[in-house]
Amino acid sequence: MVFDILNDVAGHNELAGSGEVLTIRQKTDGPIGLGSIWEADERLVIGGEAMEFTATSVVVSHDAPNTISWIPSPPFPTKRIQWRYHLSPEGAGTKVVQEVEVDLGEPEDSMLQALKANYVSMRGNDIAAGLEKTLTNLKQAAERRVQ
């Protein structure tokens, strides 16, 4: 059941604890699986400046009901951003391990170099809070399905 919630990418804007994901559009037909693609309209605030963009994501790992992972490609240079969810039975419930990898690479643009140099101090707390809230939202969604 928890995997099904994560696999319903149309609802990711409701799960995303950061509030940065605004809308989702699935671009491939059928159920989500390996190679599925969607677009997400997002709004990030970095250093007090808002940035709105659309990122295209592709599912790179899909092992129901254990793992789902995708790589978003925002319209600015990054080496790699990858989201991963690992699920395993725990007691009467499900243990969820959530990971995000952000590798900005070696940007040539001075603005992106400054972002990379200060990324943890500028985004670290927001990302950590968003991750925590996402897990809370996921738990609440699963509890609603049980009721």
Side-chain angles (χ1 to χ4, degrees):
M1 168 193 15
V2 175
F3 186 86
D4 294 337
I5 296 167
L6 289 169
N7 207 50
D8 178 16
V9 298
H12 278 200
N13 57 320
E14 295 171 13
L15 285 180
S18 66
E20 296 169 349
V21 179
L22 305 176
T23 58
I24 306 275
R25 292 173 302 284
Q26 188 170 334
K27 302 304 281 184
T28 51
D29 292 330
I32 295 296
L34 189 63
S36 291
I37 298 171
W38 66 84
E39 290 179 341
D41 295 328
E42 301 185 32
R43 183 176 192 273
L44 297 177
V45 177
I46 300 175
E49 296 292 321
M51 189 165 70
E52 294 186 5
F53 59 91
T54 300
T56 302
S57 293
V58 63
V59 176
V60 295
S61 177
H62 192 274
D63 177 26
N66 305 307
T67 304
I68 184 169
S69 178
W70 62 90
I71 295 175
S73 297
F76 45 85
T78 59
K79 184 173 180 182
R80 176 188 196 83
I81 300 171
Q82 185 168 355
W83 291 90
R84 297 179 191 90
Y85 288 85
H86 304 283
L87 292 79
S88 58
E90 185 173 88
T94 302
K95 177 181 178 181
V96 179
V97 176
Q98 173 183 230
E99 302 172 331
V100 62
E101 173 187 349
V102 178
D103 185 346
L104 299 176
E106 297 301 327
E108 294 179 19
D109 178 89
S110 61
M111 187 179 203
L112 291 174
Q113 288 172 350
L115 173 63
K116 180 180 178 181
N118 298 295
Y119 190 79
V120 171
S121 63
M122 292 174 69
R123 295 279 300 148
N125 289 337
D126 291 338
I127 291 172
L131 290 168
E132 187 175 320
K133 178 71 171 142
T134 297
L135 290 176
T136 298
N137 292 345
L138 179 59
K139 181 179 180 187
Q140 290 172 347
E143 288 169 347
R144 283 191 301 271
R145 286 196 179 193
V146 171
Q147 297 173 351

